[in-house]
């Protein structure tokens, strides 16, 4: 068994059709500690000691967020800037996160086909998230391929949310069981041209 820390970052939860239901599922999975960053830190006054203690107490870390401008919502960047300190996450003695895993679980408005060289987003999702992947590498964490739901704004009406939530639950249970799952998507999307319309 492995403990999993899930950090949820969504600034407009009342409008969320994907991440919020994913957060609710995560709250029901034993072994997953769920933290709502915007609820805990409405003024971005992040408690560094608390966050570092949470990290130290868990083996796996998940960031759950809607993709905003090819990156995380602002509070997750603030969290990185403050919590991943010199002497804790890197530098002399900065080995506290070594061997832990990091997974980005996200929703994206764009279709899967748009996330490739020929699509209007021009890059694959994993490529776009490479600053996070490299951060994980620098601080000694095992970076897992992102778990993404594309075309998020039409997922409910197209009946894709239910199956996604089922895969999400399986993924969380596998992580808690200490398994390295092979369920992520976002890398290797088919080459297909799509334009904004
Ligand atoms: C400020 C902002 C920036 C966004 N940037 C992107 C983006 O870079 N790529 C993308 O595919 N979707 C983008 N979107 C769409 C969101 O990713 C999408 O609305 C969200 O994933 C839906 O999930 P939710 O229902 O849980 O909010 C953006 C939305 C907002 C509000």
């Amino acid at each position: 068994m492995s403990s999993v820390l899930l950090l949820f970052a969504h600034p407009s939860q009342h409008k969320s059709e994907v991440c919020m239901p994913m957060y609710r599922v995560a709250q029901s999975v034993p072994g997953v500690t769920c933290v709502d960053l915007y609820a805990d830190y409405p003024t971005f006054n992040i408690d560094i000691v608390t966050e570092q203690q949470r990290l130290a107490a868990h083996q796996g870390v998940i960031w759950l967020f809607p993709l905003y401008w090819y990156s995380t919502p602002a509070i997750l960047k603030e969290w990185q800037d403050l919590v991943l300190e010199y002497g804790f996450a890197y530098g002399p003695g900065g080995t506290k996160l070594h061997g832990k895993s990091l997974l980005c679980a996200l929703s994206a408005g764009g279709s899967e086909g748009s996330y490739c060289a020929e699509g209007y987003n021009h890059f694959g999702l994993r490529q776009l998230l490479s600053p996070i992947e490299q951060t994980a590498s620098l601080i000694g964490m095992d970076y897992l391929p992102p778990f993404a739901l594309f075309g998020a704004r039409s997922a409910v009406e197209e009946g894709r949310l239910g199956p996604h939530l089922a895969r999400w639950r399986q993924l969380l249970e596998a992580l808690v069981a200490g398994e390295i799952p092979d369920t992520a998507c976002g890398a290797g999307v088919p080459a297909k041209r799509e334009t904004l319309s």
Side-chain angles (χ1 to χ4, degrees):
M1 292 291 282
S2 175
S3 55
V4 173
L5 174 66
L6 182 142
L7 302 177
F8 177 44
H10 200 311
S12 15
Q13 296 177 8
H14 58 290
K15 291 191 207 158
S16 170
E17 295 180 354
V18 176
C19 292
M20 197 66 210
M22 290 176 72
Y23 188 61
R24 295 282 177 240
V25 167
Q27 286 177 309
S28 74
V29 176
V32 180
T33 304
C34 291
V35 176
D36 181 342
L37 289 177
Y38 278 101
D40 282 10
Y41 306 115
T43 60
F44 280 42
N45 190 16
I46 291 173
D47 183 334
I48 297 171
V49 172
T50 295
E51 293 305 314
Q52 290 181 345
Q53 285 172 347
R54 279 174 175 154
L55 284 171
H58 295 82
Q59 184 56 29
V61 180
I62 300 174
W63 294 350
L64 171 61
F65 58 93
L67 191 67
Y68 277 8
W69 295 118
Y70 309 107
S71 185
T72 68
I75 203 165
L76 253 177
K77 181 61 167 64
E78 182 76 351
W79 182 96
Q80 293 169 62
D81 295 350
L82 295 178
V83 178
L84 303 180
E85 277 183 327
Y86 183 77
F88 175 79
Y90 69 102
T95 57
K96 307 293 186 296
L97 302 175
H98 282 195
K100 298 179 188 290
S101 60
L102 178 64
L103 170 74
C104 289
L106 63 136
S107 57
S111 67
E112 184 166 9
S114 71
Y115 280 94
C116 66
E118 294 79 13
Y120 69 82
N121 284 312
H122 295 124
F123 300 93
L125 180 64
R126 185 153 179 178
Q127 255 179 306
L128 289 164
L129 296 179
S130 58
I132 297 174
E133 184 163 355
Q134 172 53 25
T135 298
S137 169
L138 190 83
I139 63 180
M141 295 185 82
D142 297 325
Y143 182 80
L144 303 177
F147 180 73
L149 183 67
F150 296 96
R153 300 307 297 175
S154 58
V156 172
E157 66 189 80
E158 292 170 359
R160 291 185 286 117
L161 183 62
H164 180 72
L165 293 179
R167 282 195 298 275
W168 170 236
R169 180 180 291 281
Q170 281 175 359
L171 171 56
L172 292 172
E173 288 171 351
L175 286 170
V176 170
E179 296 163 14
I180 300 294
D182 186 27
T183 49
C185 58
V189 292
K192 181 172 134 193
R193 174 166 290 280
E194 284 204 3
T195 51
L196 277 171
S197 55

